[in-house]
Amino acid sequence: ENLLAYYEFDNTLDAGNSGPPTIDGLHHYDAHFDDWAPGDPTWRGGRGKRLIGALNYLASAGGNAISFLTYNYGGDGHDVWPLVEPTDRVRYDCSKLDQWEVIFSHADALGLYLHFKTQETEVDTEATAFDASGMVGREHRLYIRELVSRFGHHLALNWNLGEENTQSSAEVTQMS
């Protein structure tokens, strides 16, 4: 679920997870470096080859979807957020989001369905949640708008408003 906890994305770090057994706690996808092909996208001087290679491998093996969280700070991952700082919920990291777009566009080209999970249960009502209560306020609406405006153009996707969600039906409806 933390596919986007990738070491070559800007401003991505392990902020306390029990993630992969790598030196930095982030995904490296080293086994897929050779699955990247000339002409495949990269960013910032060749970054992203391993994750792009992993998508290539998944598609070549008959896979048709990727599923990922876009925010898990305060959850069990502590390593994926679209923000400049994980607790500053009004300033978005445009560079990181542009890099996510490279991944999502390549997934489109491969015919992979994008399953966006916007939050997990650990951050839907706790103090680490948007608007510090789980209620849908200004910060949460900004988050949803930012994701939809940047990524809503992709060919096959869905918006999962809360994996293992503990919010009420009224709160989930308010998010949509």
Side-chain angles (χ1 to χ4, degrees), residues 157-175:
L157 63 86
N158 79 307
W159 302 102
N160 180 336
L161 296 179
E163 179 202 30
E164 305 164 357
N165 201 309
T166 62
Q167 290 171 301
S168 69
S169 295
E171 289 167 332
V172 172
T173 300
Q174 190 180 22
M175 277 193 297

Side-chain angles (χ1 to χ4, degrees), residues 40-159:
D40 282 344
T42 62
W43 59 88
R44 296 190 52 152
R47 291 183 183 180
K49 290 181 179 180
R50 290 164 178 81
L51 181 48
I52 291 290
L55 297 179
N56 289 345
Y57 173 79
L58 181 63
S60 74
N64 63 2
I66 57 174
S67 180
F68 47 86
L69 283 159
T70 53
Y71 182 83
N72 71 1
Y73 184 78
D76 54 8
H78 293 286
D79 52 15
V80 177
W81 55 83
L83 309 155
V84 173
E85 295 292 332
T87 57
D88 179 352
R89 295 179 185 92
V90 296
R91 294 186 316 136
Y92 285 78
D93 188 329
C94 295
S95 176
K96 181 191 291 190
L97 292 169
D98 287 347
Q99 293 162 10
W100 288 6
E101 176 60 25
V102 170
I103 297 301
F104 301 152
S105 291
H106 190 65
D108 270 354
L110 295 172
L112 297 172
Y113 177 88
L114 305 174
H115 178 201
F116 286 79
K117 293 183 273 192
T118 62
Q119 66 186 29
E120 57 186 343
T121 190
E122 294 90 348
V123 297
D124 64 6
T125 58
E126 298 174 9
T128 54
F130 284 89
D131 305 305
S133 68
M135 298 304 295
V136 180
R138 182 179 74 93
E139 292 175 358
H140 209 138
R141 281 193 290 279
L142 177 63
Y143 170 61
I144 298 298
R145 281 188 192 150
E146 187 70 27
L147 292 177
V148 171
S149 66
R150 282 185 178 270
F151 306 124
H153 66 277
H154 286 284
L155 301 176
L157 63 86
N158 79 307
W159 302 102

